[in-house]
Amino acid sequence: MKNLLNVLRDDDVDPALMQVIETIIDASKEIAFRVRQGALAGVLGSSQDENIQGETQKHLDIISNQLLKDLLLACAPVAALASEEEDTVVAANPSGKYVVAFDPLDGSSNIDINGQIGTIFSIYRALDSVPHSSELQFNQQGSHQVCAGYVLYGPSTLLAITTGKRTRCFTLDSTQGTFLLTADNIQIAKDTQEFAINMSNSRFWNENMRCYIEDLILGEIGPRQKRYNMRWNAAMVGDVHRVLTRGGIFLYPSDNRNAKQPAKLRLLYEANPMALLIENAGGKARSETQRILDIQPQQLHERVAVILGSVNEVDECLSYLHP
Ligand code: AFP
């Protein structure tokens, strides 16, 4: 089996970009070790602090963020970084060619219950037109990502990654400490019978979204005329990995719980990297109004509705939203 660096080399990936990817992978191995140690490493539970999102930070959120930050700041090709756990952009190396955004530990609510969690990352070329410390470094459309991926800390530690051509999956061989290629060209099934959504929010959705979900639940006795199953991991990395593996549709729609914040998922370090992985695996990734990768970001931690997965099912959902 090929290892990650050999695959990237065969794809003629820029050596400086390979160095950034390798740095992220090194940090993820450290995180994976602490996740596996759990209570034995004293990393469970919540801190007394809140992040800019207003979320209570778990100890492992802070540890993971610090690991990624320390290693990336020491990586010469990195010009700046942005994180779910950082209020604003952190300037790195003046000669850096790339900027990195990440959610250090997605699915934090799963940490204390030994559930699926993961690290999501997104890499862009640094803009010479603005200072490295400017948030404008990250006001780039998702289609400009040069690399996107996640590390899923589950029964296996898996890396899903794309550098623009295809979406691949690697599995960590913990005896050697290397990620080995285990899926070379993921292709998402065009149709599905599985959806992922947090049903407890249904009373907050708009009417059209409620109708779409109701028809999935009606199954073979309703207009869709086939049985659907539901899954919800409460960690985007786990739900997206299932969609990449066996198809499906993942939805986190806008809702009216909070007029100032109608969506939950973050564009920069959740929606955009996942959208690139999904599209490069033959799937579709939309907000409720447009292709996610076409969205022009306005601010660092902006949020967006997400509908992604099997092309035909995403299209069917959009036909309900825009009859
Ligand atoms: P946490 O990292 O705060 O657990 O949030 C995870 C997440 O951003 C995303 O990974 C999940 O799909 C979604 O939120 C789960 O949201 P709900 O807790 O509202 O179901």
Side-chain angles (χ1 to χ4, degrees):
M1 284 181 179
K2 279 187 171 181
N3 69 35
L4 173 63
L5 293 185
N6 289 340
V7 170
L8 295 176
R9 220 170 272 126
D10 292 350
D11 272 358
D12 295 325
V13 172
D14 172 20
L17 178 56
M18 282 179 58
Q19 193 180 339
V20 178
I21 295 169
E22 200 174 2
T23 301
I24 293 169
I25 295 309
D26 288 346
S28 74
K29 290 179 199 171
E30 282 295 320
I31 296 169
F33 173 73
R34 284 165 175 74
V35 166
R36 272 198 314 277
Q37 289 293 97
L40 301 178
V43 296
L44 301 185
S46 299
S47 71
Q48 301 303 312
D49 306 320
E50 273 194 3
N51 61 19
I52 192 170
Q53 331 281 341
E55 299 161 340
T56 301
Q57 290 179 305
K58 300 281 190 181
H59 292 306
L60 209 48
D61 280 325
I62 297 168
I63 293 165
S64 305
N65 185 61
Q66 199 60 51
L67 275 166
L68 280 156
K69 209 168 129 183
D70 291 346
L71 291 183
L72 286 168
L73 289 175
C75 178
V78 175
L81 57 90
S83 164
E84 181 192 51
E85 305 302 338
E86 298 289 333
D87 293 0
T88 186
V89 172
V90 179
N93 306 294
S95 58
K97 289 172 64 177
Y98 297 102
V99 294
V100 185
F102 54 87
D103 180 351
L105 211 57
D106 175 61
S108 305
S109 54
N110 283 347
I111 292 173
D112 296 348
I113 58 165
N114 203 34
Q116 283 189 321
I117 48 182
T119 298
I120 308 172
F121 59 91
S122 170
I123 307 173
Y124 295 84
R125 285 182 189 78
L127 300 174
D128 296 329
S129 53
V130 295
H132 283 171
S133 58
S134 164
E135 292 195 359
L136 295 175
Q137 284 291 346
F138 293 92
N139 280 15
Q140 302 186 49
Q141 289 171 310
S143 53
H144 295 174
Q145 293 173 91
V146 293
C147 176
Y150 59 78
V151 179
L152 176 59
Y153 309 111
S156 305
T157 299
L158 300 179
L159 164 69
I161 187 169
T162 181
T163 53
K165 297 183 182 118
R166 60 177 69 178
T167 295
R168 295 186 172 98
C169 188
F170 296 78
T171 301
L172 180 63
D173 172 2
S174 48
T175 59
Q176 305 294 325
T178 51
F179 277 99
L180 300 178
L181 182 64
T182 42
D184 186 35
N185 185 11
I186 296 174
Q187 290 298 310
I188 300 174
K190 302 291 183 205
D191 295 292
T192 184
Q193 291 183 241
E194 195 160 61
F195 69 98
I197 195 166
N198 181 338
M199 288 298 293
S200 67
N201 298 328
S202 61
R203 67 183 187 281
F204 305 118
W205 301 331
N206 73 47
E207 185 56 29
N208 291 338
M209 179 56 77
R210 266 206 299 277
C211 288
Y212 168 68
I213 297 296
E214 279 163 11
D215 284 353
L216 296 184
I217 291 169
L218 281 173
E220 64 276 22
I221 64 170
R224 303 303 308 277
Q225 297 182 313
K226 64 177 179 179
R227 174 70 62 88
Y228 279 82
N229 188 27
M230 197 202 98
R231 287 285 183 272
W232 187 248
N233 285 44
M236 192 180 191
V237 284
D239 284 311
V240 168
H241 192 70
R242 187 188 55 255
V243 169
L244 281 173
T245 305
R246 65 186 191 208
I249 184 169
F250 168 88
L251 306 103
Y252 210 111
S254 58
D255 63 47
N256 61 21
R257 277 178 286 181
N258 175 346
K260 290 183 186 161
Q261 186 179 299
K264 174 171 186 183
L265 301 183
R266 277 52 60 109
L267 177 62
L268 178 61
Y269 36 78
E270 288 177 315
N272 267 333
M274 293 310 199
L276 193 64
L277 288 164
I278 291 288
E279 286 202 2
N280 287 351
K284 206 164 196 175
R286 290 290 191 277
S287 68
E288 287 155 340
T289 56
Q290 65 183 99
R291 181 181 179 234
I292 286 174
L293 296 178
D294 290 341
I295 295 174
Q296 177 53 56
Q298 301 302 323
Q299 46 111 355
L300 200 62
H301 296 289
E302 76 181 75
R303 298 165 186 260
V304 66
V306 175
I307 303 166
L308 61 77
S310 297
V311 172
N312 295 342
E313 193 57 49
V314 170
D315 284 343
E316 188 66 30
C317 174
L318 294 171
S319 73
Y320 277 71
L321 299 187
H322 309 293

